[in-house]
Amino acid sequence: MSLPHAILTALLEKPSSGLELTRRFDRSIGYFWTATHQQIYRELGKLEQAGLIRVLPAEAPTRGQRKEYEVLSAGREELTAWVARVEEPRAGRDPLPLRVRAAAVVGSAGLAPELRRHLELHRQRLAEYRDIERRDFPPGRDAEPDRLRHVVLKGGIRLEHFWIEWLSEVLDELPGDAPA
Amino acid sequence: MSLPHAILTALLEKPSSGLELTRRFDRSIGYFWTATHQQIYRELGKLEQAGLIRVLPAEAPTRGQRKEYEVLSAGREELTAWVARVEEPRAGRDPLPLRVRAAAVVGSAGLAPELRRHLELHRQRLAEYRDIERRDFPPGRDAEPDRLRHVVLKGGIRLEHFWIEWLSEVLDELPGDAPA
DNA sequence: TCACCTTGTGCACTTTGTTGCATAATCTCG
DNA sequence: CGAGATTATGCAACAAAGTGCACAAGGTGA
């Protein structure tokens, strides 16, 4: 399981409340992982129980019943161990190629518009990632942590490329498809 | 959910028993989806209950208590509808980039061997896919179903490429990494 | 002041996915 | 024939992920 480790990483980068974490999952962490706020709160509870993180006492009372968490040393150790752990790569699980395969059997009626919609979404995400890259990784920053974070982002960019190219290829194979 | 649709597709290509399906999921369908035999049996039960598939009466008794399933017209209709359905792309969920990100925070000790191991696995899978391509898609076959199945396989190949390139890139960024 | 909005936290339930084990029939070899 | 391997199906229990809704506190404006 990776969600707890994703949370530990995010909290080490900056102690945060549940909702802040949720927002950060929509951005940087989210290139390769997503989570809803409910998942995150539940996981924060478990991590606290397990003694890997703790609540920072609030200084000024804020909105709602806001709780900031920080990582304890046991949490840092767990994350350090996870980095080197032997784990099998988990098979990708994307329904879209499956749908193309189904279309090979029952016909591709109605598939093209859905593919074009996905193509557009991936183009948008690619553009966002490029913006982030320009903003956060200007040339010259080359301490190791920065280089590693950058290479993760480049992975996100590469992956969007993959989808864009593959979707274009599929659209070329579909009958009666006028280019968008 | 996509597992039932994956099963319907596989059964339309060829009526099969649970275990046969499991094996086919390890091969062709498996470029983008995996399932254990337990998941498949459970799902076959649900699909039968729902009237989308039925058991073919066995002619000669075979090993164990083998049951072959075939798709009913309701199943074919469901699959046809699914092909055109509007669904959001589900975010990729791979822990490996997350681990690289964690390494940016707690240090990359022990990460390189694990990355090399994954690199090797992806190279192997790429080689397998290329074999399948040579065997099943010789030049000249260009009826639509074949072209669509081929483009799905090409997606699998492209995806393995992605991993190989990205992993190589990460390894280049790690300190003290002698090329394998 | 009080109805309503926003921010923030969280429970309950459901669906999916995984692990481990149980069972049955058939085959295989001494 | 009968002990053990192989093929095949399936249940039970659990873990992980996703959906829907409730609740609490403070801010905002009629």
Side-chain angles (χ1 to χ4, degrees), chain B residues 151-171:
Chain B
V151 85
V152 173
L153 174 57
K154 284 193 275 186
I157 289 173
R158 224 188 250 284
L159 191 58
E160 294 308 319
H161 260 301
F162 156 77
W163 283 111
I164 289 167
E165 283 171 23
W166 182 74
L167 285 166
S168 305
E169 203 177 346
V170 182
L171 281 165

Side-chain angles (χ1 to χ4, degrees), chain A residues 37-93:
Chain A
H37 73 274
Q38 292 87 343
Q39 282 174 274
I40 287 171
Y41 284 121
R42 182 168 31 185
E43 206 59 46
L44 285 171
K46 282 192 207 164
L47 288 170
E48 193 185 8
Q49 282 266 296
L52 303 188
I53 62 175
R54 67 160 187 176
V55 178
L56 280 173
E59 318 191 339
T62 43
R63 293 202 150 275
Q65 279 167 328
R66 183 204 192 80
K67 284 196 274 181
E68 290 237 308
Y69 289 90
E70 73 171 353
V71 178
L72 297 173
S73 61
R76 179 181 281 269
E77 278 157 31
E78 167 56 33
L79 194 62
T80 306
W82 182 64
V83 164
R85 190 125 77 217
V86 172
E87 277 183 6
E88 293 321 300
R90 67 159 59 194
R93 268 243 171 63

Side-chain angles (χ1 to χ4, degrees), chain A residues 2-3 5-6 9 12-13 24 28-35 39 76 79-80 82-95 97-111 114 117-118 121-122 125 144-145 147-149 151-152 154-156 158-159 162-163 165-166 169-170 172-175, chain B residues 2-3 5-6 9 12-13 24 28-35 39 76 79-80 82-95 97-111 114 117-118 121-122 125 144-145 147-149 151-152 154-156 158-159 162-163 165-166 169-170 172-175:
Chain A
S2 311
L3 180 57
H5 300 108
T9 304
L12 278 171
E13 289 176 347
R24 293 172 59 199
S28 51
I29 313 279
Y31 315 142
F32 291 102
W33 207 272
T34 54
Q39 282 174 274
R76 179 181 281 269
L79 194 62
T80 306
W82 182 64
V83 164
R85 190 125 77 217
V86 172
E87 277 183 6
E88 293 321 300
R90 67 159 59 194
R93 268 243 171 63
D94 201 292
L98 236 48
R99 286 210 265 173
V100 174
R101 176 104 183 187
V105 179
V106 297
S108 57
L111 179 59
E114 176 68 355
R117 200 177 64 87
H118 282 244
L121 288 171
H122 286 292
R125 207 178 308 169
E144 172 164 312
R147 278 187 290 129
L148 287 181
R149 269 187 281 269
V151 84
V152 173
K154 283 193 275 187
R158 225 186 250 285
L159 191 58
F162 157 76
W163 281 111
E165 283 171 23
W166 182 73
E169 204 177 345
V170 182
D172 284 344
E173 296 295 348
L174 290 180
Chain B
S2 312
L3 180 56
H5 300 108
T9 304
L12 278 170
E13 289 177 345
R24 293 171 61 197
S28 50
I29 312 280
Y31 316 141
F32 289 103
W33 206 271
T34 55
Q39 278 176 276
R76 179 179 282 267
L79 193 63
T80 306
W82 183 63
V83 165
R85 190 125 77 219
V86 172
E87 277 184 5
E88 292 322 299
R90 66 159 59 193
R93 269 245 168 63
D94 201 291
L98 235 49
R99 286 211 263 174
V100 175
R101 176 105 186 190
V105 180
V106 297
S108 56
L111 180 59
E114 176 69 353
R117 200 176 64 86
H118 282 243
L121 289 171
H122 286 291
R125 208 178 307 170
E144 172 165 313
R147 279 187 289 127
L148 286 180
R149 270 188 281 268
V151 85
V152 173
K154 284 193 275 186
R158 224 188 250 284
L159 191 58
F162 156 77
W163 283 111
E165 283 171 23
W166 182 74
E169 203 177 346
V170 182
D172 284 344
E173 296 294 348
L174 290 180

